[in-house]
Amino acid sequence: MIHPRTIRADYNTTTNVLYVVGSELQVNLNRGAPPSSKFFSLKCTPNVQYRIKPQPPSMSPLSLIPLDGNLVLLISMSRASQHVRDSKLSVMYYGENKKSLGRAILHLTSVEISLDVDADRDGTVERNNPNKASWKWGPDGHGAILLVNCDSERTYRKKLDSEHDSVVTVSDLKDMSKMVLRTKGPDILQEGYKLAMHISQGDAESVRIFRAKSTEGASNFLNRLYNSFVKDYPLVLNSEVLFQEVPYLAGEGELHFYVEGLRFPDKDFDGLITVNLSLLEPIRPNVPETPIFTDKVAFRVAPWIMTPNTLQPLEVFVCSTSDNYLFLKGMRNFVAKSGYKLKICHEYVNRGDRWMQDELEFGYIDSPHHGFPVVLDSPRDGELDNFPYNELLGPDFGYVTRVPKQEVSSLDSFGNLEVSPPVTVNGRKYPLGRIIIGVAFPTATEGRNMTKVVQDFLWAQKVQEPIALFSDWLLVGHVDEFMSFVPAPDRKGFRLLLASPDAVYKLFRGLQNSGHGQAKLFDGLKDEKKITVDELLEDGSLRVENTYVQSCIDWNRDVLKRELGLDENDIIDLPVLFKMVYDDDKKFRAVAYYPDMVNMIVLGKNLGVPKPFGPRVNGRCALEAEMCSLVEGLGLSCTFIDDFTSYHKKLGEVHCGSNVRRKPFDFRWWNMEQ
């Protein structure tokens, strides 16, 4: 990119000019000419190139060229100077009789200046990438990437690294993006010239910049040792310092900077940041310097990304409480059989709050040079409130939350936050899937919704465009009560599982027709009233309630088919029954009639499913048998976990009581087409 710059060249005057390689000096020849000038000639040293615009019909060195009021002299230099004022260009002016009237002399010093970042996203800061000042999505895109420094290098009295105004430890530098100032030229700049780095007031709340005191990459042992201390990375720019002079290195040198992201994209921040470097020219004492060259680089802050059920699990989290022994035993066996790690949050930490899914959502951030998991803390603020910060935040494990301005509802728990596997919809690819949240029905005059600050945050990440489903018909109101995703070896690589009362009635009518109408639900549960298949089918009120529930699920079915590009073969209906109850506001809402099998945990090909305690036929639970038959063709295996007393009776299931941290996508988010 050519950087044009207009300079003066007055006759009978010698002007010292500092030139930046890659720029172009423009001189209006008529403006600085003596009165009555009609012709001019040019002479320069070998390192100087020039051209005239518009170009004269013929031009040779020392030839006299007619002076026109519109003539502009364009000057460039191809390499950096070894010494100050080692190049020269002169303009000789002539009158009507070709008599010399005066001469303008330019003494030129050229320097190479480049502010560089990893604009091609390969993990290396390349020299002077032509696209470094802008951002473009896609595999052929460009623009550097910045991580929010939201982990904590400290484990004692910790807080987010981004909340420190200094480098916490040298290892903290890996969370930052490297930026390099490269210079080449004389040992010193001309007197009064200086380099300054600056950012806008708008960007200053989102970024902080440190620099290394000494030249990095030096082979000298003392230099390497010098760079190993935190104090050797002074702060350059932040929200209070928008402009600061930076050193010019003699000869040929590199000065390394570390750029730290302070906040994620959000409603009031698009994630784009620009850093500027200017060369300032002195005019005279007590007069501000003027910028004669500016280089700039662009960063985009990496988004927070959710992980779907189809990605490989790394760790499973559950709570231990005084009454969930059977659930915990089932989870231990299931997770061990699946080959993954189980992490238990004990009661002295959870304080009786068992809803691990509702408190937090695991995700991650990524860049070409580094990435790490980041937990999104929900605004529900139950007794597990301190767990994400106190127990998860640490080195290379980040934390983010959003604080609502209004009172939260059950829909702000993260059982109401899911993400689909990758999909293609009408030709548009979503390689990181789409976020799914539950809200009130679109035409409702009142109802519960996920709080606006969380929704704004999710939308602002851009890479997993959210889908809003209708979940307010449920008492708890979470999307995980009626849907889940499981991996599949064919079609789109997954299936959508939907709760279906219709599937229950179809299954139970088949049992009745086969002579099993007296088989009982809840058989084996001591304190639960048993009900036969015949009795359930005869309950007209229950049937009406489930007709309503099915219509709500079908509404969401249509939305999911449209927004995820699904057809009926991508969906499996699980036999799940509901009943209507009054909530605290005397509104009629639905809860699961028996343990909700769709509310499961997915570990690879192993499904941890709530044990439904359905009618037993030929020694086997008919609901379990149906569940297995629906997914076994996909190579999936079901383990049924007893959560009846400790979770189902408290209006939650296996998924509500567990959480899974998974591997990030192989796909790099910046390669998305927008």
Side-chain angles (χ1 to χ4, degrees):
M1 177 180 177
I2 298 296
H3 300 266
R5 169 187 161 207
T6 298
I7 63 170
R8 296 176 61 84
D10 294 331
Y11 74 99
N12 293 340
T13 302
T14 298
T15 305
N16 293 321
V17 177
L18 186 60
Y19 169 83
V20 180
V21 175
S23 64
E24 191 170 58
L25 303 179
Q26 301 180 351
V27 181
N28 186 308
L29 290 168
N30 192 57
R31 183 192 300 176
S36 305
S37 295
K38 299 298 181 182
F39 303 94
F40 70 95
S41 65
L42 297 165
K43 185 179 180 179
C44 65
T45 53
N47 191 33
V48 180
Q49 297 85 43
Y50 65 82
R51 58 192 176 96
I52 297 174
K53 185 178 179 181
Q55 185 174 346
S58 62
M59 186 175 71
S60 60
L62 302 180
S63 65
L64 299 187
I65 305 167
L67 181 64
D68 185 290
N70 295 321
L71 285 182
V72 175
L73 174 65
L74 303 173
I75 305 169
S76 62
M77 301 175 70
S78 58
R79 63 181 184 274
S81 298
Q82 293 185 333
H83 308 285
V84 173
R85 296 184 291 276
D86 64 358
S87 298
K88 186 170 76 170
L89 181 142
S90 62
V91 184
M92 182 67 74
Y93 291 99
Y94 305 90
E96 185 73 44
N97 58 358
K98 299 185 180 179
K99 180 182 177 181
S100 175
L101 299 179
R103 182 171 63 169
I105 299 176
L106 299 179
H107 281 167
L108 297 157
T109 305
S110 63
V111 294
E112 294 181 12
I113 299 174
S114 172
L115 186 62
D116 293 326
V117 291
D118 179 19
D120 61 3
R121 306 166 186 166
D122 65 354
T124 301
V125 178
E126 66 273 9
R127 182 182 294 274
N128 216 13
N129 187 304
N131 298 311
K132 64 185 179 181
S134 61
W135 172 272
K136 180 183 176 183
W137 293 88
D140 62 342
H142 55 258
I145 293 164
L146 191 61
L147 296 177
V148 177
N149 196 6
C150 60
D151 65 340
S152 176
E153 296 296 322
R154 294 181 180 176
T155 55
Y156 174 68
R157 301 178 76 174
K158 61 187 174 184
K159 61 180 180 179
L160 301 184
D161 290 344
S162 58
E163 295 176 358
H164 295 273
D165 59 3
S166 61
V167 175
V168 179
T169 67
V170 175
S171 63
D172 191 33
L173 297 174
K174 69 180 181 299
D175 300 335
M176 305 181 194
S177 295
K178 187 176 285 188
M179 181 171 66
V180 180
L181 169 58
R182 294 183 168 106
T183 56
K184 186 177 181 180
D187 287 346
I188 59 171
L189 293 176
Q190 293 174 221
E191 184 178 357
Y193 286 86
K194 63 174 117 175
L195 290 171
M197 187 169 288
H198 49 106
I199 53 177
S200 70
Q201 183 71 60
D203 286 348
E205 300 297 326
S206 307
V207 70
R208 191 157 44 207
I209 301 174
F210 303 90
R211 73 169 175 88
K213 275 188 177 178
S214 59
T215 306
E216 295 198 3
S219 59
N220 184 284
F221 170 75
L222 291 178
N223 267 346
R224 294 200 304 271
L225 181 63
Y226 187 73
N227 271 323
S228 65
F229 297 101
V230 168
K231 64 182 178 62
D232 296 318
Y233 297 91
L235 179 65
V236 179
L237 299 177
N238 65 359
S239 60
E240 298 177 355
V241 181
L242 307 182
F243 172 98
Q244 187 166 148
E245 183 178 352
V246 296
Y248 167 79
L249 300 178
E252 183 173 1
E254 292 186 355
L255 190 58
H256 288 225
F257 295 83
Y258 294 89
V259 187
E260 176 184 41
L262 302 182
R263 61 174 181 150
F264 283 93
D266 215 322
K267 183 181 180 182
D268 60 345
F269 174 48
D270 64 4
L272 290 172
I273 291 169
T274 299
V275 181
N276 307 277
L277 179 84
S278 292
L279 176 61
L280 304 180
E281 180 180 53
I283 304 300
R284 66 179 185 181
N286 301 320
V287 174
E289 304 99 339
T290 58
I292 60 173
F293 170 83
T294 296
D295 205 9
K296 62 179 60 177
V297 294
F299 292 92
R300 178 176 283 279
V301 176
W304 179 78
I305 301 172
M306 287 181 64
T307 52
N309 286 350
T310 48
L311 290 178
Q312 180 183 334
L314 296 174
E315 298 174 312
V316 181
F317 292 80
V318 294
C319 288
S320 172
T321 64
S322 59
D323 63 347
N324 75 341
Y325 169 77
L326 281 178
F327 170 79
L328 204 55
K329 179 181 178 182
M331 286 295 296
R332 285 183 192 273
N333 293 336
F334 170 65
V335 174
K337 180 182 74 173
S338 302
Y340 300 107
K341 298 178 182 178
L342 181 66
K343 292 201 167 184
I344 298 175
C345 174
H346 294 284
E347 195 157 16
Y348 68 89
V349 175
N350 66 54
R351 296 173 292 180
D353 187 350
R354 69 199 67 215
W355 308 113
M356 182 63 76
Q357 181 67 220
D358 290 339
E359 183 58 44
L360 58 96
E361 189 69 47
F362 287 110
Y364 70 95
I365 58 176
D366 190 25
S367 74
H369 67 276
H370 192 45
F372 52 82
V374 177
V375 61
L376 175 62
D377 190 0
S378 82
R380 71 185 282 264
D381 290 348
E383 295 301 317
L384 266 171
D385 182 41
N386 295 329
F387 175 77
Y389 194 94
N390 292 346
E391 305 298 324
L392 297 177
L393 173 64
D396 278 347
F397 206 121
Y399 172 92
V400 62
T401 192
R402 285 295 176 267
V403 179
K405 297 178 181 178
Q406 69 276 4
E407 185 177 349
V408 300
S409 72
S410 175
L411 272 68
D412 292 305
S413 298
F414 284 169
N416 197 34
L417 175 61
E418 296 297 323
V419 65
S420 79
V423 292
T424 299
V425 185
N426 296 325
R428 181 177 177 183
K429 294 181 179 179
Y430 297 90
L432 303 175
R434 298 189 65 179
I435 285 171
I436 296 168
I437 61 172
V439 298
F441 196 71
T443 60
T445 56
E446 59 181 34
R448 301 167 298 171
N449 279 291
M450 181 177 284
T451 190
K452 187 175 185 298
V453 291
V454 174
Q455 291 199 52
D456 288 343
F457 172 81
L458 297 173
W459 274 97
Q461 306 315 302
K462 286 187 174 294
V463 294
Q464 297 176 304
E465 184 180 319
I467 302 167
L469 298 183
F470 172 38
S471 67
D472 192 35
W473 56 275
L474 288 153
L475 179 66
V476 176
H478 297 175
V479 293
D480 69 354
E481 297 178 75
F482 63 85
M483 62 166 291
S484 185
F485 295 97
V486 295
D490 57 357
R491 297 184 62 79
K492 296 177 174 63
F494 69 91
R495 293 290 190 276
L496 168 63
L497 307 183
L498 287 179
S500 173
D502 282 355
V504 177
Y505 281 97
K506 181 178 180 180
L507 174 65
F508 283 9
R509 288 194 191 97
L511 295 179
Q512 187 182 56
N513 293 339
S514 301
H516 300 290
Q518 291 302 303
K520 297 176 181 178
L521 283 78
F522 310 125
D523 203 9
L525 293 171
K526 292 182 180 179
D527 300 323
E528 198 67 21
K529 181 181 178 181
K530 314 302 184 290
I531 182 171
T532 67
V533 170
D534 288 340
E535 290 170 335
L536 187 144
L537 292 175
E538 290 170 2
D539 189 335
S541 296
L542 184 64
R543 186 67 182 99
V544 170
E545 292 171 6
N546 276 277
T547 298
Y548 164 72
V549 167
Q550 187 67 62
S551 69
C552 294
I553 295 173
D554 286 344
W555 167 274
N556 292 311
R557 182 192 204 93
D558 293 338
V559 173
L560 289 165
K561 287 170 67 176
R562 181 174 64 250
E563 298 294 336
L564 297 180
L566 307 180
D567 58 36
E568 286 298 320
N569 290 327
D570 298 312
I571 301 172
I572 296 176
D573 292 310
L574 298 188
V576 179
L577 200 65
F578 294 83
K579 61 183 177 182
M580 304 297 290
V581 297
Y582 286 104
D583 65 9
D584 293 339
D585 296 323
K586 305 302 181 185
K587 295 186 182 300
F588 219 31
R589 290 189 164 105
V591 298
Y593 187 88
Y594 50 74
D596 182 351
M597 293 188 294
V598 81
N599 193 276
M600 65 179 68
I601 179 174
V602 181
L603 301 181
K605 294 184 177 181
N606 299 308
L607 311 182
V609 184
K611 186 175 179 62
F613 293 95
R616 299 186 68 81
V617 176
N618 299 323
R620 186 181 183 189
C621 171
L623 291 170
E624 291 184 16
E626 182 69 7
M627 173 77 205
C628 291
S629 70
L630 289 170
V631 300
E632 63 185 7
L634 303 175
L636 302 176
S637 173
C638 296
T639 297
F640 293 93
I641 298 170
D642 184 353
D643 71 352
F644 195 92
T645 302
S646 54
Y647 288 85
H648 172 71
K649 296 288 284 185
K650 299 180 186 298
L651 304 180
E653 310 289 358
V654 171
H655 188 260
C656 305
S658 60
N659 216 315
V660 183
R661 183 171 74 87
R662 301 178 185 274
K663 283 187 64 176
F665 284 97
D666 291 332
F667 182 86
R668 314 305 290 270
W669 62 267
W670 52 88
N671 288 326
M672 279 189 67
E673 300 284 358
Q674 288 284 340

